Amino acid sequence: MKQIMAWSSRVILVAAAVYAGVFGVIWFIRPMRALASGFLLGGLISLYNIFHLSFRLRIAGLRVLSGSRMPAGLHMTVRILTVIFGTLLVYRFPALIDFRSFVLSLLFGYILLVTVMSFYYLRKTTSSDEGGETLGSDSESNISRDDV
Amino acid sequence: MSLTVLAGGIMIAFGALAAGIGNGVLFSRYLEGIARQPEAQGTLFGQSMIALGLVEALPVISIAFGILVLFGVIG
C-alpha cells in the first residue's frame, strides 16, 4: 500500500511539474496565453481531483480496517464543484481562458492516473514472471495461487 | 424552452447519474474486499483507482461541456 502510494504519487507529481512548466513557458508567449491558461487551469483541477480521490479512498479503507462505524464517502460532490468552479471561471473570463483547452485538459489527470497505475501493475507482473515479487506482495498475505 | 438548455441539462444530469452509480458500485466492492481480506488492501487500492479514474473522467467532461452549453459558450 505504502509502496504503490509513494511510487505513484512521485511519478504523478513529476509529470504534473513538467506539465505546469511546459504550459507556464507557453503562457509567456503572448498570442497563446489564453490557450495555455486553459490547459493550466484544467490540468490543475484535474490533478486536484485525482489526489482528492486517492485521499478519500485511502481514508475509507483505513476506516474499514480500524472497525470504525463512521461513514466515509468518496466526496464526489467536491470534485464536481471544483470542475464547476473552473467552468465558471472560463465563462467569466473568456478572453483570458480558452474553453476548448480547459475542457480537453480536464482529462489530463485521469489519463495520467490510469497510465501510471497500469504501468505499475504491468511492471510488477513482469517482474513476477522473472522471479520477482507478485501482485499483492506488499501485503502480509501468504496465500499462493495454488491455495485458491 | 430552448433545445440548447435541454441538451445542457441532459448532459449534466445523465453524466452525474451514471458516474454516481458507477462510483457507488466500485466503492462498495472495494470496501467489501477490504473487509473480507484486509491484507489485499494494497492491490485493491491500485485497481480501484484505475477503475474510478476511468469512471470519473466521463462525467467531469460532460459536466464541463453541459455548463458551457447552458451558458451559451458552445452551441
Side-chain angles (χ1 to χ4, degrees):
Chain A
M1 175 77 177
K2 278 181 187 167
Q3 189 189 357
I4 183 172
M5 282 295 296
W7 187 81
S8 56
S9 298
R10 202 168 51 238
V11 173
I12 287 175
L13 279 178
V14 168
V18 169
Y19 180 87
V22 167
F23 285 107
V25 168
I26 292 175
W27 190 77
F28 281 105
I29 303 169
R30 188 78 190 165
M32 296 168 80
R33 193 164 269 193
L35 201 77
S37 35
F39 273 115
L40 273 177
L41 181 67
L44 288 179
I45 286 176
S46 181
L47 282 170
Y48 168 76
N49 278 353
I50 60 164
F51 276 109
H52 184 252
L53 180 67
S54 146
F55 176 71
R56 291 307 310 174
L57 205 62
R58 205 176 37 174
I59 292 284
L62 290 177
R63 278 199 190 154
V64 169
L65 287 181
S66 68
S68 164
R69 285 177 176 269
M70 221 166 117
L74 282 181
H75 286 198
M76 197 180 164
T77 320
V78 176
R79 288 193 295 282
I80 286 181
L81 285 177
T82 324
V83 175
I84 290 176
F85 170 70
T87 316
L88 291 181
L89 278 182
V90 173
Y91 176 67
R92 179 72 182 81
F93 305 107
L96 294 178
I97 307 168
D98 185 50
F99 75 88
R100 283 163 291 221
S101 58
F102 169 73
V103 173
L104 268 181
S105 60
L106 279 177
L107 278 177
F108 167 70
Y110 293 103
I111 291 174
L112 188 67
L113 173 76
V114 171
T115 312
V116 167
M117 288 292 188
S118 306
F119 184 73
Y120 177 82
Y121 282 114
L122 198 70
R123 206 180 58 155
K124 226 172 168 182
T125 315
T126 312
S127 69
S128 75
D129 291 342
E130 293 159 2
E133 52 187 358
T134 52
L135 277 178
S137 63
D138 51 347
S139 63
E140 303 292 325
S141 174
N142 290 321
I143 300 171
S144 71
R145 193 172 288 274
D146 301 330
D147 297 332
V148 179
Chain B
M1 185 174 61
S2 138
L3 281 179
T4 317
V5 177
L6 190 67
I10 288 174
M11 270 184 185
I12 296 173
F14 281 96
L17 184 76
I21 294 171
N23 268 356
V25 171
L26 272 171
F27 188 52
S28 69
R29 298 293 184 219
Y30 168 69
L31 293 182
E32 200 180 307
I34 289 182
R36 280 175 191 268
Q37 205 176 349
E39 66 272 9
Q41 194 196 3
T43 311
L44 285 174
F45 176 80
Q47 288 170 356
S48 303
M49 281 298 286
I50 293 175
L52 283 170
L54 286 172
V55 167
E56 260 198 37
L58 178 74
V60 161
I61 293 293
S62 85
I63 283 168
F65 264 121
I67 290 172
L68 291 173
V69 165
L70 273 184
F71 288 158
V73 180
I74 310 172

